[in-house]
Coordinates of all heavy atoms in Angstrom, one line a residue:
M28 N 0.8 -1.2 0.0 CA 0.0 0.0 0.0 C 0.9 1.3 0.0 O 0.5 2.2 -0.6 CB -0.9 0.0 1.2 CG -2.0 -1.1 1.1 SD -3.2 -0.9 2.4 CE -4.2 0.4 1.7
R29 N 2.0 1.2 0.7 CA 2.9 2.4 0.8 C 3.4 2.7 -0.6 O 3.4 3.8 -1.0 CB 4.0 2.1 1.7 CG 5.0 3.2 1.9 CD 6.1 2.8 2.8 NE 7.4 3.3 2.3 CZ 8.1 2.8 1.4 NH1 7.8 1.7 0.8 NH2 9.2 3.4 1.0
K30 N 3.8 1.7 -1.3 CA 4.4 1.9 -2.7 C 3.3 2.5 -3.6 O 3.6 3.4 -4.4 CB 4.9 0.5 -3.2 CG 5.5 0.6 -4.6 CD 6.0 -0.7 -5.1 CE 6.5 -0.6 -6.5 NZ 6.9 -1.9 -7.0
M31 N 2.1 2.0 -3.5 CA 1.0 2.5 -4.3 C 0.7 4.0 -4.0 O 0.5 4.8 -4.9 CB -0.3 1.7 -4.2 CG -0.2 0.3 -4.8 SD -1.6 -0.8 -4.5 CE -3.0 0.2 -4.1
A32 N 0.7 4.3 -2.7 CA 0.5 5.7 -2.3 C 1.6 6.6 -2.8 O 1.3 7.7 -3.4 CB 0.5 5.8 -0.8
V33 N 2.8 6.2 -2.7 CA 3.9 7.0 -3.3 C 3.8 7.2 -4.8 O 3.9 8.3 -5.3 CB 5.3 6.4 -2.9 CG1 6.4 7.1 -3.6 CG2 5.5 6.4 -1.4
E34 N 3.6 6.1 -5.5 CA 3.5 6.2 -6.9 C 2.3 7.0 -7.4 O 2.3 7.6 -8.5 CB 3.4 4.8 -7.5 CG 4.8 4.0 -7.4 CD 4.7 2.6 -7.8 OE1 3.6 2.1 -8.2 OE2 5.8 2.0 -7.8
S35 N 1.2 7.1 -6.7 CA 0.0 7.8 -7.1 C 0.0 9.2 -6.6 O -1.0 9.9 -6.7 CB -1.2 7.1 -6.7 OG -1.4 7.0 -5.3
G36 N 1.1 9.7 -5.9 CA 1.2 11.0 -5.5 C 0.6 11.3 -4.1 O 0.4 12.4 -3.7
G37 N 0.3 10.2 -3.4 CA -0.2 10.3 -2.0 C 0.8 10.6 -1.0 O 2.0 10.8 -1.3
S38 N 0.4 10.8 0.2 CA 1.3 11.1 1.4 C 1.4 9.9 2.3 O 0.5 9.1 2.4 CB 0.6 12.3 2.1 OG 0.5 13.4 1.3
I39 N 2.5 9.9 3.1 CA 2.8 8.8 4.0 C 3.1 9.4 5.4 O 3.8 10.4 5.5 CB 4.1 8.1 3.5 CG1 3.8 7.5 2.1 CG2 4.4 7.0 4.5 CD1 5.1 6.8 1.5
V40 N 2.7 8.7 6.4 CA 3.1 9.0 7.8 C 3.9 7.8 8.2 O 3.4 6.6 8.2 CB 1.9 9.1 8.7 CG1 2.4 9.3 10.1 CG2 1.0 10.3 8.3
R41 N 5.2 8.0 8.5 CA 6.1 6.9 8.9 C 6.4 7.1 10.4 O 7.0 8.1 10.8 CB 7.4 6.8 8.1 CG 8.1 5.5 8.6 CD 9.6 5.5 8.2 NE 9.9 5.6 6.8 CZ 11.1 5.6 6.4 NH1 12.1 5.5 7.2 NH2 11.4 5.6 5.1
I42 N 6.0 6.2 11.2 CA 6.2 6.2 12.7 C 7.1 5.1 13.0 O 6.8 3.9 12.7 CB 4.9 6.2 13.5 CG1 3.9 7.3 13.0 CG2 5.2 6.3 14.9 CD1 2.6 7.2 13.6
T43 N 8.2 5.4 13.8 CA 9.1 4.4 14.2 C 9.1 4.3 15.7 O 8.9 5.4 16.4 CB 10.5 4.6 13.7 OG1 11.3 3.6 14.2 CG2 11.0 5.9 14.1
D44 N 9.2 3.2 16.3 CA 9.2 3.0 17.8 C 10.6 3.3 18.3 O 10.8 3.3 19.5 CB 8.7 1.7 18.2 CG 9.6 0.6 17.7 OD1 10.3 0.7 16.7 OD2 9.7 -0.5 18.4
N45 N 11.6 3.5 17.5 CA 13.0 3.6 17.9 C 13.6 4.9 17.5 O 14.8 5.0 17.7 CB 13.8 2.4 17.3 CG 15.1 2.2 18.0 OD1 15.3 2.6 19.2 ND2 16.0 1.6 17.3
G46 N 12.9 5.9 17.0 CA 13.6 7.1 16.6 C 14.4 6.9 15.3 O 14.3 5.9 14.7
F47 N 15.1 8.0 15.0 CA 15.9 8.0 13.8 C 17.3 8.3 14.2 O 17.6 9.1 15.0 CB 15.4 9.0 12.8 CG 14.0 8.7 12.3 CD1 12.9 9.3 12.8 CD2 13.8 7.7 11.3 CE1 11.6 9.0 12.4 CE2 12.5 7.5 10.8 CZ 11.4 8.1 11.4
P48 N 18.3 7.7 13.5 CA 19.7 8.0 13.8 C 20.0 9.5 13.5 O 19.2 10.2 12.8 CB 20.5 7.2 12.8 CG 19.6 6.1 12.3 CD 18.2 6.7 12.4
E49 N 21.0 10.1 14.2 CA 21.3 11.5 14.1 C 21.4 12.0 12.7 O 20.9 13.1 12.3 CB 22.6 11.8 14.8 CG 22.9 13.2 14.9 CD 24.2 13.5 15.7 OE1 24.6 12.7 16.6 OE2 24.8 14.5 15.4
R50 N 22.0 11.3 11.8 CA 22.2 11.7 10.4 C 21.2 11.0 9.4 O 21.5 10.9 8.3 CB 23.6 11.5 10.0 CG 24.6 12.4 10.8 CD 26.0 12.1 10.3 NE 26.9 12.9 11.2 CZ 27.5 14.0 10.8 NH1 27.2 14.5 9.6 NH2 28.3 14.7 11.6
F51 N 20.1 10.7 9.9 CA 19.1 10.0 9.1 C 18.6 10.9 8.0 O 18.3 12.1 8.2 CB 17.9 9.5 9.9 CG 16.8 9.0 9.1 CD1 16.8 7.7 8.6 CD2 15.7 9.8 8.8 CE1 15.8 7.2 7.8 CE2 14.6 9.3 8.0 CZ 14.7 8.0 7.5
S52 N 18.4 10.3 6.8 CA 17.8 11.0 5.7 C 17.0 10.0 4.9 O 17.4 8.9 4.7 CB 18.8 11.6 4.8 OG 18.2 12.2 3.7
P53 N 15.7 10.3 4.5 CA 15.0 9.3 3.7 C 15.7 9.0 2.4 O 16.5 9.9 1.9 CB 13.7 10.1 3.4 CG 13.6 11.2 4.4 CD 15.0 11.5 4.8
S54 N 15.6 7.9 1.9 CA 16.3 7.5 0.7 C 15.3 7.1 -0.4 O 14.1 6.9 -0.2 CB 17.2 6.4 1.0 OG 16.5 5.2 1.4
G55 N 15.8 7.0 -1.6 CA 15.0 6.6 -2.7 C 13.9 7.6 -3.0 O 14.1 8.8 -3.0
R56 N 12.7 7.1 -3.3 CA 11.6 7.9 -3.7 C 11.1 8.8 -2.5 O 10.6 9.9 -2.7 CB 10.4 7.1 -4.1 CG 10.6 6.3 -5.3 CD 9.4 5.5 -5.7 NE 9.7 4.7 -6.8 CZ 8.8 4.1 -7.6 NH1 7.5 4.2 -7.2 NH2 9.2 3.4 -8.6
E57 N 11.4 8.4 -1.3 CA 11.0 9.2 -0.1 C 11.9 10.5 0.1 O 11.6 11.3 0.9 CB 11.0 8.4 1.1 CG 10.0 7.3 1.2 CD 9.9 6.6 2.5 OE1 10.8 6.8 3.4 OE2 9.1 5.7 2.6
F58 N 13.1 10.5 -0.6 CA 14.0 11.6 -0.3 C 13.4 13.0 -0.6 O 13.6 13.9 0.2 CB 15.2 11.4 -1.2 CG 16.3 12.5 -0.9 CD1 17.1 12.4 0.2 CD2 16.5 13.5 -1.8 CE1 18.0 13.4 0.5 CE2 17.4 14.5 -1.6 CZ 18.2 14.4 -0.4
E59 N 12.6 13.2 -1.6 CA 12.0 14.5 -2.0 C 10.7 14.7 -1.3 O 10.2 15.9 -1.2 CB 11.8 14.6 -3.5 CG 13.1 14.4 -4.3 CD 13.9 15.7 -4.2 OE1 13.4 16.8 -4.0 OE2 15.2 15.5 -4.3
M60 N 10.1 13.7 -0.7 CA 8.7 13.8 -0.2 C 8.6 14.8 1.0 O 7.6 15.5 1.1 CB 8.2 12.4 0.1 CG 8.0 11.6 -1.1 SD 7.4 10.0 -0.8 CE 5.8 10.3 -0.1
P61 N 9.5 14.8 2.0 CA 9.3 15.7 3.1 C 9.2 17.2 2.7 O 8.4 18.0 3.2 CB 10.5 15.5 4.0 CG 11.0 14.1 3.7 CD 10.7 14.0 2.2
G62 N 10.0 17.6 1.7 CA 10.0 19.0 1.3 C 8.7 19.4 0.6 O 8.4 20.6 0.6
S63 N 8.0 18.5 0.1 CA 6.7 18.8 -0.6 C 5.5 18.5 0.4 O 4.4 18.6 -0.1 CB 6.6 18.0 -1.9 OG 6.6 16.6 -1.6
G64 N 5.8 18.1 1.6 CA 4.8 17.9 2.6 C 4.1 16.5 2.4 O 3.0 16.3 2.9
R65 N 4.7 15.6 1.7 CA 4.1 14.3 1.5 C 4.6 13.2 2.4 O 4.1 12.1 2.3 CB 4.3 13.9 0.0 CG 3.6 14.8 -1.0 CD 3.8 14.4 -2.4 NE 3.5 13.0 -2.6 CZ 4.2 12.1 -3.4 NH1 5.2 12.6 -4.0 NH2 3.9 10.9 -3.5
L66 N 5.6 13.5 3.2 CA 6.1 12.5 4.1 C 6.3 13.1 5.5 O 7.0 14.1 5.6 CB 7.5 11.9 3.6 CG 8.2 10.9 4.5 CD1 7.4 9.6 4.7 CD2 9.6 10.6 4.0
L67 N 5.7 12.5 6.5 CA 5.8 12.9 7.9 C 6.5 11.8 8.6 O 6.1 10.6 8.6 CB 4.4 13.2 8.5 CG 4.4 13.5 9.9 CD1 5.1 14.9 10.2 CD2 2.9 13.6 10.4
L68 N 7.6 12.1 9.2 CA 8.4 11.2 10.0 C 8.3 11.5 11.4 O 8.5 12.6 11.9 CB 9.9 11.3 9.6 CG 10.2 11.0 8.1 CD1 11.7 11.4 7.8 CD2 10.0 9.6 7.8
L69 N 7.9 10.5 12.2 CA 7.7 10.6 13.7 C 8.4 9.5 14.4 O 8.4 8.3 13.9 CB 6.2 10.5 14.0 CG 5.3 11.6 13.5 CD1 3.9 11.3 13.8 CD2 5.7 13.0 14.0
G70 N 9.1 9.8 15.5 CA 9.8 8.8 16.2 C 10.2 9.3 17.6 O 10.0 10.4 17.9
E71 N 10.7 8.4 18.4 CA 11.2 8.7 19.7 C 12.3 9.8 19.6 O 13.0 9.8 18.5 CB 11.8 7.5 20.4 CG 10.8 6.4 20.7 CD 9.9 6.7 21.8 OE1 10.3 7.4 22.7 OE2 8.8 6.2 21.8
L72 N 12.5 10.6 20.6 CA 13.5 11.6 20.6 C 14.9 11.0 20.5 O 15.8 11.5 19.8 CB 13.4 12.5 21.8 CG 12.3 13.4 21.8 CD1 12.3 14.2 23.2 CD2 12.3 14.4 20.7
N73 N 15.1 9.9 21.2 CA 16.5 9.3 21.2 C 16.5 8.0 20.4 O 15.6 7.1 20.6 CB 16.9 9.0 22.7 CG 17.0 10.3 23.5 OD1 17.6 11.2 23.0 ND2 16.4 10.2 24.7
Y74 N 17.4 7.9 19.5 CA 17.6 6.7 18.7 C 18.4 5.6 19.5 O 19.3 6.0 20.2 CB 18.3 7.0 17.4 CG 18.7 5.8 16.6 CD1 17.6 5.1 15.9 CD2 19.9 5.3 16.5 CE1 17.9 4.0 15.2 CE2 20.2 4.2 15.7 CZ 19.2 3.6 15.1 OH 19.5 2.5 14.3
D75 N 18.0 4.4 19.5 CA 18.6 3.3 20.1 C 18.9 2.3 19.1 O 18.0 1.7 18.5 CB 17.8 2.7 21.3 CG 18.5 1.7 22.1 OD1 19.5 1.2 21.7 OD2 17.9 1.3 23.1
S76 N 20.2 2.0 18.9 CA 20.6 1.0 17.8 C 20.3 -0.4 18.1 O 20.4 -1.3 17.3 CB 22.1 1.2 17.5 OG 22.9 0.9 18.6
R77 N 19.9 -0.7 19.4 CA 19.6 -2.1 19.8 C 18.3 -2.5 19.2 O 17.4 -1.7 19.0 CB 19.6 -2.2 21.3 CG 20.9 -2.1 21.9 CD 20.8 -2.2 23.4 NE 20.1 -0.9 23.8 CZ 19.8 -0.6 25.1 NH1 20.1 -1.5 26.0 NH2 19.2 0.5 25.4
K78 N 18.2 -3.8 18.8 CA 16.9 -4.3 18.3 C 15.8 -4.2 19.3 O 16.0 -4.6 20.5 CB 17.2 -5.8 17.9 CG 15.9 -6.5 17.5 CD 15.7 -6.6 16.1 CE 14.6 -7.5 15.7 NZ 13.5 -6.9 15.1
Q79 N 14.7 -3.7 18.9 CA 13.5 -3.6 19.7 C 12.5 -4.6 19.3 O 12.3 -4.7 18.1 CB 12.9 -2.1 19.6 CG 13.9 -1.0 19.9 CD 14.2 -1.0 21.4 OE1 13.3 -1.3 22.3 NE2 15.4 -0.6 21.8
N80 N 11.8 -5.2 20.2 CA 10.7 -6.1 19.9 C 9.4 -5.4 19.8 O 9.0 -4.8 20.8 CB 10.7 -7.3 20.9 CG 11.8 -8.2 20.8 OD1 12.3 -8.5 19.7 ND2 12.3 -8.7 21.9
M81 N 8.8 -5.4 18.7 CA 7.5 -4.7 18.5 C 6.4 -5.6 19.0 O 6.2 -6.7 18.5 CB 7.3 -4.3 17.0 CG 6.0 -3.7 16.7 SD 5.8 -2.1 17.4 CE 6.8 -1.1 16.3
S82 N 5.6 -5.1 19.9 CA 4.4 -5.9 20.3 C 3.2 -5.5 19.5 O 3.2 -4.4 18.9 CB 4.1 -5.6 21.8 OG 3.6 -4.3 22.0
Y83 N 2.2 -6.4 19.4 CA 1.0 -6.1 18.7 C 0.3 -4.8 19.3 O -0.1 -4.0 18.6 CB 0.1 -7.3 18.7 CG -1.2 -7.0 18.0 CD1 -1.3 -7.1 16.6 CD2 -2.3 -6.5 18.7 CE1 -2.5 -6.8 16.0 CE2 -3.5 -6.2 18.1 CZ -3.6 -6.3 16.7 OH -4.8 -6.0 16.1
R84 N 0.3 -4.8 20.6 CA -0.4 -3.6 21.3 C 0.3 -2.3 20.9 O -0.4 -1.3 20.6 CB -0.3 -3.9 22.8 CG -1.1 -2.9 23.6 CD -1.1 -3.3 25.0 NE -1.9 -2.4 25.8 CZ -2.0 -2.4 27.1 NH1 -1.4 -3.4 27.8 NH2 -2.8 -1.6 27.7
W85 N 1.6 -2.3 20.9 CA 2.3 -1.0 20.6 C 2.2 -0.7 19.1 O 1.9 0.5 18.7 CB 3.8 -1.1 21.0 CG 4.6 0.1 20.8 CD1 5.6 0.3 19.9 CD2 4.4 1.4 21.4 NE1 6.1 1.6 20.0 CE2 5.3 2.3 20.9 CE3 3.4 1.8 22.4 CZ2 5.4 3.6 21.4 CZ3 3.5 3.1 22.8 CH2 4.5 4.0 22.3
A86 N 2.2 -1.7 18.2 CA 2.0 -1.4 16.8 C 0.6 -0.9 16.5 O 0.4 0.0 15.7 CB 2.3 -2.7 16.0
A87 N -0.4 -1.4 17.2 CA -1.7 -1.0 17.0 C -1.9 0.5 17.5 O -2.6 1.3 16.8 CB -2.7 -1.8 17.8
R88 N -1.2 0.9 18.6 CA -1.2 2.3 19.0 C -0.6 3.2 18.0 O -1.1 4.3 17.7 CB -0.5 2.4 20.3 CG -1.3 1.9 21.5 CD -0.6 2.1 22.8 NE -0.5 3.5 23.1 CZ 0.2 4.0 24.1 NH1 0.9 3.3 24.9 NH2 0.2 5.3 24.3
L89 N 0.6 2.8 17.4 CA 1.2 3.6 16.4 C 0.4 3.7 15.1 O 0.3 4.8 14.5 CB 2.6 3.0 16.1 CG 3.6 3.0 17.2 CD1 4.9 2.3 16.7 CD2 3.9 4.4 17.6
N90 N -0.3 2.6 14.8 CA -1.2 2.7 13.6 C -2.4 3.6 13.8 O -2.8 4.3 12.9 CB -1.7 1.3 13.2 CG -0.7 0.4 12.6 OD1 0.3 1.0 11.9 ND2 -0.8 -0.9 12.7
R91 N -2.9 3.6 15.0 CA -4.0 4.6 15.4 C -3.5 6.0 15.3 O -4.2 6.9 14.8 CB -4.6 4.2 16.7 CG -5.5 3.0 16.7 CD -6.4 2.9 18.0 NE -5.6 2.8 19.2 CZ -5.1 1.7 19.7 NH1 -5.3 0.6 19.1 NH2 -4.3 1.7 20.8
L92 N -2.3 6.3 15.7 CA -1.7 7.6 15.6 C -1.6 8.0 14.2 O -2.0 9.1 13.8 CB -0.4 7.6 16.4 CG 0.4 9.0 16.3 CD1 -0.4 10.1 16.8 CD2 1.7 8.8 16.9
A93 N -1.1 7.1 13.4 CA -0.9 7.4 11.9 C -2.3 7.7 11.3 O -2.4 8.6 10.5 CB -0.2 6.3 11.2
E94 N -3.2 6.9 11.6 CA -4.6 7.1 11.0 C -5.2 8.4 11.5 O -5.7 9.1 10.7 CB -5.5 5.9 11.5 CG -6.9 6.0 10.9 CD -7.8 4.8 11.3 OE1 -7.3 4.0 12.2 OE2 -8.9 4.8 10.8
M95 N -5.0 8.8 12.7 CA -5.5 10.1 13.2 C -4.8 11.2 12.5 O -5.5 12.2 12.0 CB -5.2 10.2 14.7 CG -5.7 11.5 15.3 SD -5.2 11.7 17.0 CE -3.5 12.1 16.8
L96 N -3.5 11.2 12.3 CA -2.8 12.2 11.6 C -3.2 12.3 10.1 O -3.4 13.4 9.6 CB -1.3 12.0 11.7 CG -0.7 12.2 13.1 CD1 0.7 11.6 13.1 CD2 -0.7 13.6 13.5
A97 N -3.3 11.1 9.5 CA -3.7 11.1 8.1 C -5.1 11.6 7.8 O -5.4 12.1 6.8 CB -3.5 9.7 7.5
S98 N -6.0 11.4 8.8 CA -7.4 11.8 8.6 C -7.7 13.2 9.0 O -8.9 13.6 8.9 CB -8.3 10.8 9.3 OG -8.1 10.8 10.7
H99 N -6.7 13.9 9.6 CA -6.9 15.3 10.0 C -7.4 16.1 8.8 O -6.8 16.0 7.7 CB -5.7 15.8 10.7 CG -5.8 17.1 11.4 ND1 -5.8 18.3 10.8 CD2 -6.1 17.3 12.7 CE1 -6.0 19.2 11.7 NE2 -6.2 18.7 12.8
P100 N -8.3 17.1 9.0 CA -8.8 17.9 7.8 C -7.7 18.6 7.1 O -7.7 18.6 5.9 CB -9.7 18.9 8.5 CG -10.2 18.3 9.8 CD -9.0 17.4 10.2
E101 N -6.6 19.0 7.8 CA -5.5 19.7 7.0 C -4.5 18.7 6.6 O -3.6 19.0 5.9 CB -4.9 20.7 7.9 CG -5.6 22.0 8.1 CD -6.8 21.9 9.1 OE1 -6.6 21.1 10.1 OE2 -7.8 22.5 8.9
G102 N -4.6 17.5 7.0 CA -3.7 16.4 6.6 C -2.2 16.7 6.8 O -1.8 17.3 7.8
M103 N -1.5 16.5 5.8 CA 0.0 16.7 5.8 C 0.4 18.1 5.8 O 1.5 18.5 6.0 CB 0.7 15.9 4.7 CG 0.4 14.4 4.7 SD 1.2 13.6 6.1 CE 2.9 13.5 5.4
T104 N -0.5 19.0 5.4 CA -0.2 20.4 5.3 C 0.0 21.1 6.7 O 0.5 22.2 6.8 CB -1.2 21.2 4.5 OG1 -2.5 21.1 5.2 CG2 -1.3 20.7 3.1
M105 N -0.3 20.4 7.8 CA -0.2 21.0 9.1 C 1.3 21.4 9.3 O 1.5 22.5 9.9 CB -0.6 20.0 10.2 CG -2.1 19.7 10.2 SD -2.6 18.4 11.3 CE -1.3 17.9 12.2
R106 N 2.2 20.6 8.9 CA 3.6 21.0 9.1 C 4.0 22.2 8.3 O 4.7 23.1 8.8 CB 4.5 19.8 8.6 CG 6.0 20.0 8.8 CD 6.8 18.8 8.3 NE 7.9 19.3 7.6 CZ 8.0 19.6 6.3 NH1 7.0 19.5 5.5 NH2 9.1 20.0 5.8
L107 N 3.6 22.3 7.1 CA 3.9 23.4 6.2 C 3.3 24.7 6.7 O 3.9 25.8 6.5 CB 3.5 23.1 4.8 CG 4.2 21.9 4.1 CD1 3.6 21.7 2.7 CD2 5.7 22.1 4.0
A108 N 2.2 24.6 7.3 CA 1.5 25.9 7.8 C 2.2 26.5 8.9 O 2.0 27.7 9.2 CB 0.1 25.5 8.2
S109 N 3.1 25.8 9.6 CA 3.7 26.3 10.8 C 5.0 27.2 10.4 O 5.6 27.8 11.2 CB 4.1 25.2 11.8 OG 5.1 24.4 11.2
R110 N 5.3 27.2 9.2 CA 6.5 27.9 8.7 C 6.3 29.4 8.7 O 5.3 30.0 8.6 CB 6.9 27.5 7.3 CG 7.5 26.1 7.3 CD 8.0 25.8 5.9 NE 8.6 24.5 5.9 CZ 9.0 23.9 4.8 NH1 9.0 24.5 3.7 NH2 9.5 22.7 4.9

């Protein structure tokens, strides 16, 4: 579904339970998406390189958060409006 959304010009909310490394940058097709407001990256403040076990309960909470953000009336433009 993610691939179809990207290819059709849709937006993505990517939430990670482990944060992003200090020098993280989206790669491939996602590289240009944050600048156009089509990719929202959310994660913990501190990145931990150790393997984390994802529980169903935690994954469901993250999915509900993504759904709430994606269904907001302003959608992905919320970030751009704050500039």
Side-chain angles (χ1 to χ4, degrees):
M28 292 189 78
R29 183 184 140 277
K30 182 179 177 183
M31 288 175 22
V33 171
E34 290 175 354
S35 66
S38 299
I39 300 172
V40 177
R41 185 198 299 180
I42 303 174
T43 178
D44 65 331
N45 194 25
F47 296 98
E49 184 177 334
R50 297 179 182 258
F51 172 80
S52 177
S54 60
R56 294 181 185 194
E57 291 184 359
F58 183 76
E59 300 288 330
M60 292 177 69
S63 62
R65 294 183 49 220
L66 176 63
L67 177 62
L68 299 169
L69 299 171
E71 296 285 333
L72 287 177
N73 298 315
Y74 175 71
D75 186 347
S76 62
R77 291 177 291 179
K78 172 94 171 113
Q79 302 290 326
N80 291 325
M81 175 69 73
S82 70
Y83 177 83
R84 186 176 184 182
W85 185 243
R88 287 183 66 190
L89 294 176
N90 284 336
R91 284 193 302 274
L92 175 60
E94 183 178 5
M95 180 186 72
L96 291 168
S98 64
H99 192 276
E101 284 81 31
M103 299 291 280
T104 60
M105 292 176 2
R106 181 184 139 271
L107 298 176
S109 65
R110 287 186 181 177

